[in-house]
Amino acid sequence: MKKIIFVLNNFLIGGTERFLLQLIKNLDKKDFNIKVVTIFGSGPLKDEFQKSGAEVIILGPSSYPVSFKKPIWLFLSFFKLAGFILKNKPDIVITSLWQSDILGIFWAKFWGVKKRIFIQHDVYELNPIIRLLKKNLAVRFSTNIVAISDVVKQFLISYFNVSDKKIVKISNGTDFDFFKQCSNSHQEIVFGSIARIELVKGHEYIIDAARILREQGLTPLILIYGQGSISEMIKEKAKDLDNIKFLGEEIDQIRAFKSVDVLLAPSLSEGFGLTALEALAAGKIIIASDLPSIKEFINNNGILIPQKDSKALALVMKKLIEDKEYSEGLKRGTENWLNQEGRRFDIKNISKQYSDLFLS
């Protein structure tokens, strides 16, 4: 049995954390003894990780630290993680996001862990110092790097100068059987966003689109799930729009996806776009930015619009409201995709690819 340590930043609600939770749940516990350690504390998904069959250890504070304390906890976790890896002597260390990548891969190399793998989830450029640290302590000392999309793979090659031979592409996946429970429809079409409220997710374009629709006499219900660093700014921007409801973080994904008919995902950048995949699995209509990573699984099964284009978003929303045949056609496109292509993104298939990598 292989001993694995997953190193995460925290248990907050995000695409990275949700994917890793599903991956850990679906790895065969007969083959792997799994521990999950966080360097920045806990979060709403802690209980779910504890139910996943893995042992959960929090090296940071019991709650997520405020911004000014992050460097302190990063410094403390640096040494705590060193002791933890030395004590547990894992066969494999897996990390995600730059803080965990730097600390986890460095100490795994230092203590002679044979397999040192980090998963690259995004295509964000880092500040020069962090980029240098990640390149020399994570990229250099890793045995493999998992890219979750072709876009991420090209980013690793161009931004970190990673050898193609070191990269393994494994798409993100989700539990298709779980999201079948989210199938639902409403008498009046309901739009929704399920994402961290950050600039990169494009919430401002949803609000601008809602304002355009109001000028045309349309005020569809728009539900905004999530929290983030610009939550208050976005709420202030939408304060004159009574049809937009901010519902905060929702750990119950079934409840969130059941409440919407159309997922709005006007992101500026995505390493993959897990929420869009989850929406497909739930049988929802998707309006998303025309990003290369999104196009890996959305073609005739959703609507792609130009980035930062509120008018285009409003136009599509209006058509969905007014043209039932159009919306029904999109639903059929989603059903066809699920039947013909979707299962290759099922978490059972994705976890098998990771298992093969870990056991090779």
Side-chain angles (χ1 to χ4, degrees), residues 16 109 182 209 212 277:
T16 296
K109 170 68 174 177
C182 302
I212 292 169
L277 180 66

Side-chain angles (χ1 to χ4, degrees), residues 257-312:
F257 276 101
K258 268 192 170 184
S259 69
V260 304
D261 302 298
V262 179
L263 180 79
L264 305 176
S267 303
L268 309 185
S269 173
E270 290 286 359
F272 182 81
L274 181 63
T275 303
L277 180 66
E278 291 169 341
L280 284 175
K284 306 300 176 180
I285 295 171
I286 300 168
I287 308 174
S289 294
D290 189 359
L291 300 171
S293 56
I294 297 290
K295 289 166 78 170
E296 288 193 23
F297 58 91
I298 292 182
N299 36 68
N300 296 326
N301 53 339
I303 307 162
L304 299 178
I305 60 171
Q307 296 176 54
K308 303 181 181 181
D309 194 335
S310 302
K311 291 181 179 179

Side-chain angles (χ1 to χ4, degrees), residues 47-312:
D47 290 345
E48 295 300 312
F49 272 91
Q50 288 180 322
K51 296 173 186 175
S52 69
E55 181 182 349
V56 170
I57 301 95
I58 298 172
L59 295 183
S62 58
S63 60
Y64 190 68
V66 292
S67 296
F68 74 90
K69 290 185 177 180
K70 281 186 184 179
I72 298 171
W73 279 108
L74 191 61
F75 177 78
L76 294 174
S77 294
F78 180 78
F79 296 102
K80 287 184 176 182
L81 186 61
F84 183 79
I85 292 176
L86 175 62
K87 179 181 178 182
N88 286 276
K89 296 181 173 57
D91 301 295
I92 309 165
V93 167
I94 318 293
T95 69
S96 290
L97 303 179
W98 69 262
Q99 297 95 330
S100 296
D101 296 338
I102 293 170
L103 271 63
I105 299 299
F106 170 77
W107 283 119
K109 170 68 174 177
F110 190 88
W111 296 123
V113 178
K114 290 184 179 179
K115 280 190 177 290
R116 307 174 298 276
I117 302 167
F118 74 80
I119 305 171
Q120 184 70 23
H121 296 270
D122 56 52
V123 290
Y124 302 148
E125 295 189 1
L126 305 169
N127 77 47
I129 294 174
I130 295 173
R131 179 185 181 185
L132 188 65
L133 286 170
K134 180 161 178 172
K135 185 174 181 178
N136 286 285
L137 300 182
V139 173
R140 180 183 172 191
F141 292 149
S142 62
T143 55
N144 288 108
I145 303 171
V146 174
I148 64 172
S149 65
D150 289 329
V151 172
V152 169
K153 180 177 180 178
Q154 291 307 312
F155 175 77
L156 286 166
I157 293 170
S158 62
Y159 189 68
F160 289 112
N161 197 30
V162 180
S163 167
D164 184 86
K165 295 179 181 178
K166 184 177 269 194
I167 301 172
V168 179
K169 184 200 168 186
I170 305 178
S171 296
N172 271 0
T174 194
D175 188 338
F176 278 61
D177 292 331
F178 173 83
F179 280 100
K180 279 181 181 178
Q181 305 172 71
C182 302
S183 179
N184 196 19
S185 61
H186 304 87
Q187 190 170 7
E188 299 292 333
I189 195 165
V190 178
F191 298 89
S193 167
I194 305 173
R196 292 176 294 110
I197 303 182
E198 303 289 348
L199 283 173
V200 73
K201 297 300 182 180
H203 289 85
E204 62 182 292
Y205 304 105
I206 296 175
I207 295 166
D208 289 341
R211 197 165 278 118
I212 292 169
L213 289 173
R214 186 178 63 179
E215 291 171 358
Q216 300 174 25
L218 298 172
T219 55
L221 180 59
I222 301 174
L223 306 179
I224 307 290
Y225 289 97
Q227 295 282 3
S229 63
I230 63 166
S231 293
E232 294 309 312
M233 182 187 84
I234 292 298
K235 289 177 183 178
E236 178 67 21
K237 184 178 175 67
K239 67 180 181 179
D240 63 319
L241 295 165
D242 294 336
N243 59 314
I244 296 183
K245 308 297 181 185
F246 290 89
L247 302 174
E249 286 184 326
E250 177 57 78
I251 197 168
D252 187 339
Q253 286 186 288
I254 293 177
R255 184 184 304 165
F257 276 101
K258 268 192 170 184
S259 69
V260 304
D261 302 298
V262 179
L263 180 79
L264 305 176
S267 303
L268 309 185
S269 173
E270 290 286 359
F272 182 81
L274 181 63
T275 303
L277 180 66
E278 291 169 341
L280 284 175
K284 306 300 176 180
I285 295 171
I286 300 168
I287 308 174
S289 294
D290 189 359
L291 300 171
S293 56
I294 297 290
K295 289 166 78 170
E296 288 193 23
F297 58 91
I298 292 182
N299 36 68
N300 296 326
N301 53 339
I303 307 162
L304 299 178
I305 60 171
Q307 296 176 54
K308 303 181 181 181
D309 194 335
S310 302
K311 291 181 179 179

Side-chain angles (χ1 to χ4, degrees), residues 334-352:
T334 297
E335 290 172 5
N336 291 337
W337 182 85
L338 287 170
N339 293 329
Q340 296 171 15
E341 300 181 50
R343 286 294 169 174
R344 65 191 174 99
F345 293 99
D346 190 286
I347 192 62
K348 296 177 183 64
N349 294 326
I350 301 303
S351 61
K352 175 65 167 58

